[in-house]
Amino acid sequence: MQKDIFIDSLVSAFLTNVHVGLQIPDEHHAQSATVKGDYAYFHYGCDGLDDRGWGCGYRTVQSMASWLFYNCSLTKGRGLVAPSLPDMQRALVSMEDKPAHFSGSREWIGTFEASLVLDYFYDVPCKIVHVRGGGADLEQVAGQLREHFERHGSPVMMGGGADNSSKGVLGACSGAHGNHLLIADPHYYGAQLERAELQRRGWVRWTELSSLDHSSFYNLCMPQTGSMLKTFK
């Protein structure tokens, strides 16, 4: 496959580690775990492609890919910070997951396609966790997410049914005030903001699990880095 290298030439200007500085909910009485290591924040239009309304899943995958690039000893994809949106579409067509007309389209992707893309470009498998509904079912995954961040350290992609907006999950916290997820929202579109301004506007935030759509199922895509993970300082 011909690789689109345009995104790699831009990524050095992107914001990294956009969650840094956010206070953990219920800081003194909570169990929490967050992403380890470095990653770049990808969002609508960050590379000049206007993908509003359909590209949020791709952007979350790009943030996850950048984390793999920075933090793993990869056997494949070592020179690729993140695949572009056309890269991902062509890959899914070549794997015969999508028909030929998918390449160049404005069709979105979910957590299953995310797992295929990360395995294709980086040879990193992903675990897909299906949550039947919001509310009590979703509350039960907070501990599983904390365990993931402690063991693997990577961002997680979250998508759903009725709530089909892709979310990057960077942490989980459980305490007296309930369960919270640390969300990197890829739906921001516009000029690059400073980290503090992204946080102030809520594009990077702690979100109560109970506030998510109780009528929606959710899927989580969790990269399984295993022995590829570098040692964090």
Side-chain angles (χ1 to χ4, degrees):
M1 173 184 291
Q2 182 179 0
K3 176 186 151 193
D4 183 347
I5 63 172
F6 180 62
I7 194 72
D8 283 1
S9 67
L10 295 176
V11 75
S12 62
F14 292 176
L15 284 177
T16 58
N17 308 333
V18 291
H19 71 290
V20 172
L22 276 177
Q23 184 175 351
I24 296 173
D26 199 20
E27 186 173 8
H28 300 294
H29 305 283
Q31 294 179 297
S32 65
T34 58
V35 63
K36 297 180 175 69
D38 298 327
Y39 62 91
Y41 171 58
F42 288 79
H43 56 82
Y44 279 163
C46 62
D47 55 2
L49 173 64
D50 186 351
D51 54 320
R52 285 175 289 181
W54 60 274
C56 56
Y58 299 90
R59 299 305 184 182
T60 300
V61 172
Q62 288 179 319
S63 292
M64 296 166 77
S66 72
W67 185 94
L68 296 175
F69 174 82
Y70 291 127
N71 299 288
C72 292
S73 298
L74 299 167
T75 58
K76 185 178 182 182
R78 284 177 291 181
L80 179 64
V81 179
S84 69
L85 275 63
D87 283 339
M88 288 185 259
Q89 290 187 336
R90 288 191 292 263
L92 289 166
V93 170
S94 71
M95 285 183 274
E96 299 184 350
D97 178 70
K98 301 294 183 186
H101 63 76
F102 178 76
S103 186
S105 73
R106 295 189 167 214
E107 294 185 37
W108 55 268
I109 60 170
T111 51
F112 176 69
E113 290 89 351
S115 69
L116 294 178
V117 166
L118 293 175
D119 192 39
Y120 181 90
F121 285 103
Y122 299 98
D123 202 20
V124 174
C126 295
K127 177 181 180 181
I128 301 293
V129 175
H130 176 69
V131 184
R132 290 180 299 174
D137 288 337
L138 191 56
E139 296 284 345
Q140 294 177 10
V141 306
Q144 191 169 355
L145 282 166
R146 289 200 312 273
E147 181 181 348
H148 168 84
F149 291 117
E150 290 290 353
R151 182 176 180 184
H152 298 283
S154 69
V156 170
M157 179 173 170
M158 184 177 191
D163 179 6
N164 58 12
S165 296
S166 175
K167 303 168 182 65
V169 182
L170 305 177
C173 175
S174 300
H177 298 295
N179 294 310
H180 292 73
L181 298 183
L182 179 54
I183 300 295
D185 191 335
H187 296 86
Y188 170 67
Y189 180 82
Q192 182 167 286
L193 301 174
E194 295 297 324
R195 180 185 293 131
E197 184 64 12
L198 277 174
Q199 296 175 1
R200 189 187 71 80
R201 296 191 188 186
W203 295 109
V204 186
R205 65 190 182 276
W206 283 100
T207 297
E208 291 186 44
L209 268 175
S210 60
S211 70
L212 298 181
D213 192 336
H214 287 211
S215 68
S216 178
F217 71 81
Y218 288 94
N219 291 320
L220 301 169
C221 175
M222 301 178 173
Q224 305 294 290
T225 52
S227 61
M228 293 176 281
L229 189 62
K230 296 177 182 177
T231 302
F232 295 109
K233 297 181 180 179

